Amino acid sequence: MKNKKYILEMFPYPSGSIHMGHVRNYVIGDIFARYQKLKGFEIIHPMGWDAFGLPAENAAIEYKTHPHDWTLKNIELMKNQLSTLDLNLDWDRELATCDKNYYQFQQEIFIDFFNKGLAYKKNSLVNWDPVDQTVLANEQVIDGKGWRTGAVVEQKELSQWFFKISHYADELEESLDDLDKWPEKVKVMQKNWIGKSAGCEIVFKLEKNDDEINIFTTRPDTIFGATFIALSINHEILRKFIDKNKIESIKAEFNKCDDKEKIGYELPIKSINPVTGEKIPVYIANFVLDTYGQGAIFGCPAHDERDYDFAVKYKLPIKKVLDCSDEDLPFTDDGIMINSKFLDGLKKDQAIEEIVNYLEKEKLGNKKVNYKLRDWGVSRQRYWGCPIPVIYYEDGSFRVLDKEELPVELPYDIKMDGKGNPLLKESDWRSVICSKTGKKALRETDTFDTFVDSSWYFIRFLDNKNSKKPFDREIINKLMPVDKYIGGIEHAILHLLYARFFTKALRDIYKLEVSEPFKELFTQGMITHKTYKNGNGSWVLPIDVAIKNNELVQISTNEKIIEGPSEKMSKSKKNVVDPEEIIKNYGVSATRAFMISDSPPDRDLEWTDAGIQSSKNLTNRIERFFSSDTNTKNPTEDDQKFIYKCLYDMDNNISNLSLNKYIANIFTLFNYMEKNQTDIHNGLGKKILICLYPLFPSFIDKIFTQLFKDKIEKYNWPEVDKSFLKEKNIDLPIQINGKFVTTYKTQIDYEINDIYDNLINISKVKEKIKNKKLVKKINVQNKIINLIFN
RNA sequence: GCGCCAGUGGCGGAAUGGUAGACGCGCUGGUCUUAGGAACCAGUGGGCAACCGUGGGGGUUCGAGUCCCUCCUGGCGCACCA
């Protein structure tokens, strides 16, 4: 569709009530969508529910309800709340990820992924959140802690389902460059996360043994300076040289020591430097990451800080291969190679090229690109999620179900006792007879990470009623991508990376023409609020705080309140205001207006009483103006110019999402019209109302209907004739020697030589140029004149 | 440590390299009234002035908040990534 605009805000988790962050997100999107509609576009603006997830299970246990009932009730509640925000949403596209009509197709996609090798099962060390009792993806572990619970994540060896996001690592990183309408910041974060680095893999042989260790490096040029090898504690080859208990005790020692301290354990084996033939020691070292490269490094202490620290501590030889003085060690810059045979005299880049050629020729190594990004673990040991359509036979083998066997429905009758995954105990649901083999089998009890649900919802929106397949490719090709995606920066990596991966995978499986889901990304700022604490140090709700005798006091207890800094609104710090209350007290128009006042939408907005009050005053003024009978002056040409200029600015400001400036334009407009008592019972009045409509839809609609006995929806955004805005007379700024002195009234398109004599006779100018000679006249036509005197 | 972004009145913030501070909040004085979450009018960067002012210091330019270099401060992200 040529004229379509797919505008989308990140869909909410149905927690039961919307918060101010939602309000800001959806109001920004709504203003933009309504504006685009007035501009003549066909708008796709859907809304749905990210409805699977842990809070439903926790609530079910706490309140003795069922996750399904709890979630559906919340959806209803939140839908009602959203309806009070005057949002123009395509409710006929609504979907909830917990709905069988959604997740059965997710199961279908999984089957496709599996058949394409994009989904696989693997036994590996995974992140285990002991509080939520589930596995977490790498992206969900922040500083070693679970992203939701804050609990220290443990490493557990489990057999888990993975999506092969690494298959797209290269494309995910490269096509970031095409996303020119994404915030640079988000792209940088994704780039860092993917962590592409070009280098090579070198094979180190072990002495008296046929074993080999593969080592990835970006600095093969320093190979002649390699004086040891270090392995991660989880490296497989260790088991050959020391027993399991020893490994465990070393691991425990590693865990105990300070993060930055480097410690190692020397193995009873030597390795051979493949280019020098020297025997070098092999260590287990705590600073070697098992999740990067092959979990093994060669140490070149002279030219790497970490290796240097380690070598000093364990008195290992430090061999220079780049020319530098001893004081500069470790020397990590570019330089001239020494002690490196055929590399001597070369600079770093040349040396790398040479050595890689050599290694490849001698079959000692290969060029290799390495990524930090690892495959996405999607198994979750939780009930309230999309079941993974797999069965296990008694012999331990498994079969991914056929599409015809779908959906695997989540059973409703379960016991939520808070101990383990309830699906494990549902033997009726779990035990099946395989329809293909007739063998007894058990269902997979893990469910998908809920980020899987949100990785394709924007596609399903476009064909949400399709009961045969996930989507119709023709429709998707016509309507994707999302033209504008609006949401919080907190999803910079997780959701946005997964959604990009899914889009590419679906493209390859279903022959879609779209490679990137979100053409333009807008990350809105958070809403902050002052924090309050009482004498006990407990947080106090803003609504419970008042000013008495110039002091803040808690209303309920009359205690003194200590005001803290403004921080992101959060339930835990109680610095929240309830949208429902605000709308009740100030009305939806003022609430919408405040969401875009005071700060640009991509920056944080501080919630203040004065701020929302100011927005309320604005809506009062607008209402008063349109209902007053004293505004009767026919707009002059100057009036019209001024007003059209405001409308013109609004146009630009909304299209750039500079919505704080859009509000400023509205103030400027009404300041002017009130002063001039401009009559607006005419075409101009209609245009003004249309330009206010995206912000105040129902309020302006009412005024429009009353004033013009007409329907505002029939109209388009007014096009302003730019040539009409051009002023005939201007106040031209005059500078002497680059400094502003005065302005000079003149017609546009003046000839500088015609007005020059007048200029130098202005008294302020005359003063400045006394006893000086003209050097140069600089005229920027209709902008400024700068006269240089000496 | 590395990377990115930002620093402008009392505050939030405006300024395609061309009159810094639009607009709003707050504040000061005044008007009016069936005292309100009002409304209206005037003023509001500093300084009596000449002038001085966009974190500090350099530079480019006729002209710099804007571009370049450097330093300082704050925020965010990454952080033993071989």
Side-chain angles (χ1 to χ4, degrees):
Chain A
M1 207 190 296
K2 215 172 166 191
N3 243 4
K4 69 94 189 177
K5 287 265 183 217
Y6 184 0
I7 297 158
L8 186 65
E9 297 92 55
M10 292 177 182
F11 68 164
Y13 178 79
S15 61
S17 55
I18 56 169
H19 53 69
M20 272 301 165
H22 291 127
V23 176
R24 192 168 191 221
N25 191 173
Y26 300 151
V27 166
I28 290 169
D30 192 58
I31 292 169
F32 189 73
R34 287 178 184 276
Y35 162 78
Q36 292 291 7
K37 192 170 182 201
L38 287 168
K39 280 283 191 175
F41 289 98
E42 293 232 18
I43 302 303
I44 301 165
H45 192 207
M47 181 55 76
W49 311 98
D50 190 9
F52 273 136
L54 257 181
E57 284 186 60
N58 294 338
I61 295 161
E62 195 173 340
Y63 305 116
K64 303 246 179 309
T65 153
H66 190 283
H68 174 269
D69 302 345
W70 185 83
T71 303
L72 259 55
K73 203 183 102 219
N74 285 345
I75 288 177
E76 200 186 321
L77 283 171
M78 283 176 69
K79 201 170 169 182
N80 275 331
Q81 287 184 317
L82 288 184
S83 74
T84 65
L85 288 174
D86 261 357
L87 305 174
N88 187 23
L89 294 165
D90 301 338
W91 283 112
D92 57 330
R93 295 191 184 275
E94 182 181 5
L95 61 81
T97 55
C98 68
D99 188 340
K100 188 180 74 185
N101 291 324
Y102 183 82
Y103 72 70
Q104 66 172 324
F105 295 112
Q106 188 160 304
Q107 293 172 341
E108 203 172 313
I109 289 170
F110 166 78
I111 293 169
D112 289 325
F113 274 26
F114 180 77
N115 291 335
K116 284 267 175 184
L118 290 174
Y120 64 92
K121 201 169 192 214
K122 180 177 80 172
N123 203 46
S124 70
L125 282 177
V126 290
N127 310 300
W128 177 260
D129 187 319
V131 173
D132 274 351
Q133 293 279 302
T134 185
V135 164
L136 296 177
N138 303 321
E139 290 79 5
Q140 292 164 333
V141 179
I142 297 149
D143 291 336
K145 289 170 187 151
W147 68 310
R148 301 194 68 102
T149 61
V152 173
V153 167
E154 301 161 9
Q155 295 296 306
K156 263 200 179 186
E157 191 161 334
L158 286 172
S159 182
Q160 298 275 295
W161 284 98
F162 287 85
F163 283 167
K164 203 169 179 180
I165 192 169
S166 62
H167 179 74
Y168 289 95
D170 199 43
E171 194 191 341
L172 284 167
E173 122 86 62
E174 285 203 345
S175 54
L176 280 172
D177 293 337
D178 303 332
L179 295 173
D180 56 331
K181 290 184 172 173
W182 275 42
E184 210 49 44
K185 190 182 164 154
V186 175
K187 290 198 279 184
V188 168
M189 283 167 74
Q190 291 214 358
K191 211 164 209 157
N192 289 341
W193 188 263
I194 296 166
K196 180 179 181 172
S197 58
C200 79
E201 202 167 73
I202 302 177
V203 184
F204 280 70
K205 286 206 162 60
L206 295 185
E207 188 195 22
K208 301 180 208 154
N209 193 321
D210 282 339
D211 284 312
E212 292 178 342
I213 298 172
N214 288 327
I215 289 179
F216 175 77
T217 180
T218 54
R219 292 296 305 274
D221 55 313
T222 62
I223 182 83
F224 286 93
T227 56
F228 67 95
I229 277 180
L231 306 175
S232 126
I233 184 70
N234 292 315
H235 200 284
E236 280 187 4
I237 208 160
L238 298 189
R239 298 177 197 193
K240 292 197 173 182
F241 305 109
I242 50 175
D243 68 51
K244 226 176 166 186
N245 293 335
K246 184 71 188 170
I247 294 176
E248 285 309 314
S249 75
I250 295 170
K251 198 183 262 185
E253 204 185 321
F254 282 4
N255 284 336
K256 256 193 300 186
C257 85
D258 183 68
D259 269 1
K260 286 282 173 220
E261 197 197 339
K262 288 182 177 52
I263 53 173
Y265 177 89
E266 190 174 355
L267 289 173
I269 182 88
K270 298 265 189 248
S271 174
I272 296 156
N273 183 324
V275 291
T276 63
E278 284 170 317
K279 286 178 193 168
I280 57 176
V282 181
Y283 281 80
I284 307 168
N286 66 337
F287 68 96
V288 180
L289 303 168
D290 63 303
T291 56
Y292 188 78
Q294 307 279 352
I297 62 149
F298 72 75
C300 174
H303 307 292
D304 183 282
E305 281 176 41
R306 298 153 300 184
D307 300 345
Y308 183 81
D309 293 346
F310 192 77
V312 167
K313 180 160 177 182
Y314 291 99
K315 304 201 167 52
L316 298 165
I318 295 168
K319 186 179 159 196
K320 279 194 277 185
V321 290
L322 282 150
D323 197 15
C324 64
S325 73
D326 285 356
E327 294 89 71
D328 288 339
L329 291 177
F331 177 78
T332 57
D333 293 340
D334 199 356
I336 303 295
M337 303 296 307
I338 52 167
N339 301 327
S340 300
K341 292 186 183 161
F342 56 92
L343 298 180
D344 285 353
L346 298 179
K347 297 193 85 177
K348 180 174 146 188
D349 286 348
Q350 297 166 301
I352 289 176
E353 213 184 304
E354 280 294 312
I355 187 71
V356 170
N357 285 341
Y358 172 81
L359 292 168
E360 286 189 339
K361 204 173 76 203
E362 301 292 320
K363 304 228 178 329
L364 296 169
N366 285 301
K367 233 183 208 163
K368 198 182 170 184
V369 175
N370 196 54
Y371 297 92
K372 215 175 90 179
L373 180 72
R374 285 183 299 149
D375 283 340
W376 174 15
V378 293
S379 300
R380 295 293 178 273
Q381 291 66 46
R382 306 303 312 190
Y383 163 68
W384 192 232
C386 171
I388 301 175
V390 171
I391 55 172
Y392 295 88
Y393 300 112
E394 285 173 320
D395 65 1
S397 63
F398 68 81
R399 180 169 73 85
V400 171
L401 298 181
D402 287 343
K403 290 187 182 177
E404 294 69 42
E405 296 173 277
L406 299 181
V408 177
E409 223 173 313
L410 202 56
Y412 181 85
D413 291 316
I414 40 117
K415 275 194 207 82
M416 296 290 302
D417 54 11
K419 289 179 206 115
N421 182 353
L423 289 176
L424 280 168
K425 294 165 219 161
E426 280 317 303
S427 51
D428 283 355
W429 174 80
R430 217 185 150 195
S431 312
V432 288
I433 301 295
C434 172
S435 61
K436 285 205 162 167
T437 62
K439 286 196 281 187
K440 276 203 213 164
L442 289 173
R443 286 195 191 283
E444 169 71 81
T445 54
D446 286 354
T447 52
F448 281 122
D449 179 2
T450 55
F451 277 102
V452 177
D453 310 342
S454 55
S455 290
W456 68 289
Y457 79 107
F458 44 89
I459 291 175
R460 179 69 185 176
F461 268 144
L462 300 173
D463 195 14
N464 67 329
K465 296 196 181 62
N466 197 326
S467 58
K468 299 217 164 55
K469 46 188 177 178
F471 48 81
D472 180 87
R473 63 177 285 267
E474 295 303 321
I475 294 176
I476 304 310
N477 282 338
K478 215 161 76 181
L479 300 180
M480 277 294 280
V482 175
D483 292 282
K484 188 109 147 174
Y485 195 36
I486 308 174
I489 186 101
E490 65 272 22
H491 295 105
I493 291 175
L494 288 156
H495 163 55
L496 291 169
L497 189 65
Y498 296 148
R500 293 181 63 222
F501 156 60
F502 250 68
T503 304
K504 290 174 196 300
L506 293 175
R507 172 198 63 194
D508 293 345
I509 294 166
Y510 293 86
K511 311 234 173 335
L512 298 181
E513 284 155 16
V514 61
S515 287
E516 283 292 338
F518 314 121
K519 195 168 160 196
E520 186 169 348
L521 175 70
F522 189 89
T523 51
Q524 102 264 4
M526 298 177 299
I527 302 194
T528 66
H529 196 293
K530 287 262 161 63
T531 46
Y532 302 106
K533 271 185 179 177
N534 62 17
N536 312 326
S538 32
W539 303 104
V540 175
L541 284 164
I543 204 168
D544 196 14
V545 175
I547 301 172
K548 241 189 204 170
N549 305 324
N550 269 332
E551 274 193 344
L552 289 176
V553 291
Q554 184 170 6
I555 298 168
S556 54
T557 61
N558 223 14
E559 264 188 80
K560 248 175 93 173
I561 286 287
I562 303 142
E563 188 181 88
S566 199
E567 294 181 59
K568 179 187 178 176
M569 281 190 178
S570 75
K571 276 186 187 157
S572 59
K573 289 184 178 167
K574 290 199 175 175
N575 58 338
V576 290
V577 292
D578 177 14
E580 224 168 316
E581 282 292 309
I582 297 298
I583 292 170
K584 205 171 81 196
N585 291 336
Y586 295 92
V588 62
S589 298
T591 307
R592 285 174 64 108
F594 185 50
M595 291 297 98
I596 59 166
S597 303
D598 287 13
S599 335
D602 56 349
R603 273 197 234 168
D604 288 355
L605 170 72
E606 178 166 10
W607 183 276
T608 59
D609 289 346
I612 179 73
Q613 185 55 47
S614 165
S615 295
K616 181 66 189 166
N617 293 345
L618 174 65
T619 58
N620 284 344
R621 274 174 73 181
I622 294 172
E623 193 164 25
R624 216 180 302 126
F625 182 81
F626 281 106
S627 57
S628 153
D629 48 17
T630 59
N631 298 321
T632 54
K633 286 194 188 149
N634 248 337
T636 62
E637 192 177 322
D638 280 349
D639 291 342
Q640 292 193 34
K641 271 189 181 164
F642 189 92
I643 291 166
Y644 276 122
K645 178 73 174 44
C646 286
L647 304 187
Y648 182 77
D649 289 344
M650 289 182 194
D651 194 344
N652 287 329
N653 286 331
I654 303 179
S655 74
N656 297 330
L657 280 185
S658 301
L659 299 178
N660 56 322
K661 288 188 253 171
Y662 171 46
I663 285 275
N665 298 146
I666 296 174
F667 274 104
T668 308
L669 176 68
F670 280 88
N671 288 348
Y672 186 90
M673 294 199 300
E674 283 168 350
K675 198 171 209 161
N676 292 282
Q677 300 188 304
T678 311
D679 183 20
I680 38 68
H681 293 79
N682 48 34
L684 183 60
K686 278 187 187 173
K687 289 176 184 173
I688 291 166
L689 284 169
I690 291 163
C691 293
L692 300 176
Y693 183 67
L695 177 55
F696 304 122
S698 57
F699 168 56
I700 292 297
D701 182 51
K702 213 169 100 196
I703 296 174
F704 195 93
T705 310
Q706 274 170 9
L707 231 47
F708 297 109
K709 313 279 179 266
D710 199 356
K711 282 197 159 56
I712 197 165
E713 295 92 64
K714 293 195 329 210
Y715 291 83
N716 276 341
W717 186 274
E719 290 305 322
V720 176
D721 184 359
K722 233 178 150 180
S723 64
F724 175 71
L725 295 180
K726 218 170 169 186
E727 295 287 346
K728 289 201 187 77
N729 300 301
I730 49 170
D731 284 333
L732 188 67
I734 307 301
Q735 294 182 340
I736 302 297
N737 294 342
K739 282 197 169 182
F740 171 77
V741 175
T742 186
T743 58
Y744 176 76
K745 281 195 194 311
T746 174
Q747 293 199 323
I748 59 159
D749 302 331
Y750 54 84
E751 276 291 332
I752 182 157
N753 290 327
D754 294 347
I755 61 171
Y756 178 71
D757 285 342
N758 292 340
L759 292 183
I760 56 168
N761 278 311
I762 302 169
S763 60
K764 274 187 181 169
V765 174
K766 227 173 174 173
E767 238 172 81
K768 298 269 178 223
I769 64 175
K770 221 182 330 184
N771 301 327
K772 287 178 177 170
K773 254 181 28 206
L774 178 73
V775 179
K776 202 173 177 185
K777 289 182 240 176
I778 292 154
N779 176 38
V780 184
Q781 192 66 38
N782 300 331
K783 270 265 172 70
I784 200 162
I785 285 178
N786 187 8
L787 302 174
I788 311 302
F789 278 83
N790 202 346

